[in-house]
Amino acid sequence: MLSYQHAYHAGNLADVHKHAALAWALDYMMKKPKPLTYIETHAGRALYDLGGEEAQKTGEAAQGIARLPKQIPATHPYRVAVEQVRTAHGPNAYPGSPMIAQTLLRDDDRLHLAELHPQEHAALRTALRSPTTQIYNQDGFELALSLTPPDPRRGLMLIDPSWEVKSDYVTVPRTVQAIAAKWNVGIVMIWYPILTEKPHLPMIQTLQAAFPDALTHEVAFPPAREGHRMVGSGLFVINPPWGLEAELQHLSGSLFSDRKPPRRSGR
């Protein structure tokens, strides 16, 4: 359960898909002066070294963010966050989603981050030091249920487990339905891998039945190396911000040559 370490995969094509969507959504929400809450259930260490042994071993970042900066406008909030982090931590630094959120959010916004892996949790505490950020060494699903509805009530939750635990495909839709029942105005963004065996399909069907107005967006890409099982990246977004669907469609066309268009679930 605690074996997954994202350092081997940071900055890959799935990260680009997920982090570009997250940064855009947070930036859109900040167009209103009202404060917001950001909750992440599986935060990881927040700061990664793409020149490190782990990233070099898999080569996934070399096929992801390393090849794409010119295709992402300098004003895009994702690129703004990456550049700010690299200015502070060096040219090989890559921000995970917690650091993207903390970099973009304001002083009156609140962040709640869960990470159960002891080494990742320690690194997360080292990377993110801010009075607006609370870090928990706790099961992320339990934390999400305990915090909702949050204060401030406006907000976004990112659910991004490792998916190495097969029960996650059952736990996620069950937990999300409970969260939405308590926090019907919250934006809930679920990231999931598209593997060759397609274990995500029953989960997505369950989520689409429960949330017919949610947004499902998937991109396909070649495996990072021979035998690699991940061939795409998916996002399921409950209460998607206005314009997110168009942004994701543009992202697909700009960054992913082998792609699937966004689709509305349900009718």
Side-chain angles (χ1 to χ4, degrees):
M1 174 180 277
L2 297 178
S3 64
Y4 180 82
Q5 295 184 52
H6 192 63
Y8 291 94
H9 314 289
N12 65 7
L13 285 167
D15 264 4
V16 172
H17 180 221
K18 171 178 57 183
H19 291 158
L22 173 66
W24 187 94
L26 291 174
D27 183 72
Y28 177 85
M29 295 179 73
M30 290 189 296
K31 295 185 186 304
K32 290 185 178 180
K34 296 181 180 179
L36 60 90
T37 298
Y38 176 77
I39 302 170
E40 187 163 346
T41 60
H42 300 76
R45 61 174 49 224
L47 180 62
Y48 300 93
D49 178 11
L50 300 187
E53 180 181 351
E54 297 92 343
Q56 293 297 308
K57 182 176 181 178
T58 64
E60 292 185 30
Q63 299 175 50
I65 187 62
R67 295 176 57 187
L68 300 176
K70 292 182 179 180
Q71 297 169 268
I72 303 170
T75 56
H76 194 287
Y78 172 47
R79 187 165 173 184
V80 168
V82 171
E83 294 299 334
Q84 287 187 20
V85 169
R86 289 182 169 173
T87 298
H89 299 281
N92 288 325
Y94 184 79
S97 42
M99 185 163 279
I100 288 174
Q102 185 173 278
T103 299
L104 294 175
L105 292 177
R106 305 156 298 190
D107 291 342
D108 56 350
D109 298 323
R110 294 293 176 264
L111 292 83
H112 299 273
L113 311 172
E115 178 52 54
L116 199 55
H117 190 292
Q119 293 178 336
E120 300 297 283
H121 176 260
L124 179 64
R125 284 195 173 278
T126 300
L128 298 183
R129 299 179 182 272
S130 169
T132 65
T133 301
Q134 290 185 257
I135 298 172
Y136 308 78
N137 188 209
Q138 182 180 348
D139 177 83
F141 298 124
E142 293 178 1
L143 178 69
L145 287 167
S146 70
L147 287 177
T148 48
D151 182 24
R153 195 176 180 92
R154 286 184 74 236
L156 186 151
M157 178 184 296
L158 176 63
I159 298 177
D160 175 22
S162 69
W163 303 102
E164 289 190 334
V165 183
K166 292 182 179 180
S167 60
D168 282 347
Y169 290 98
V170 177
T171 302
V172 166
R174 183 173 64 235
T175 303
V176 167
Q177 289 180 67
I179 289 167
K182 299 197 302 176
W183 189 32
N184 62 348
V185 299
I187 298 170
V188 179
M189 182 178 290
I190 303 162
W191 176 84
Y192 56 94
I194 299 176
L195 307 178
T196 52
E197 305 91 340
K198 299 183 179 179
H200 68 284
L201 287 178
M203 178 189 72
I204 292 301
Q205 291 168 0
T206 299
L207 286 168
Q208 289 174 341
F211 302 99
D213 295 322
L215 172 65
T216 307
H217 184 266
E218 296 179 354
V219 292
F221 43 76
R225 55 195 173 277
E226 186 176 354
H228 193 53
R229 295 163 52 229
M230 188 166 70
V231 292
S233 170
L235 290 168
F236 186 87
V237 188
I238 300 167
N239 297 325
W242 184 89
L244 179 60
E245 183 171 357
E247 170 64 18
L248 288 172
Q249 188 171 10
H250 174 73
L251 183 72
S252 295
S254 299
L255 303 179
F256 300 95
S257 58
D258 182 11
R259 59 191 182 273
K260 297 178 182 179
R263 64 180 187 275
R264 286 280 176 179
S265 56
R267 299 180 296 276

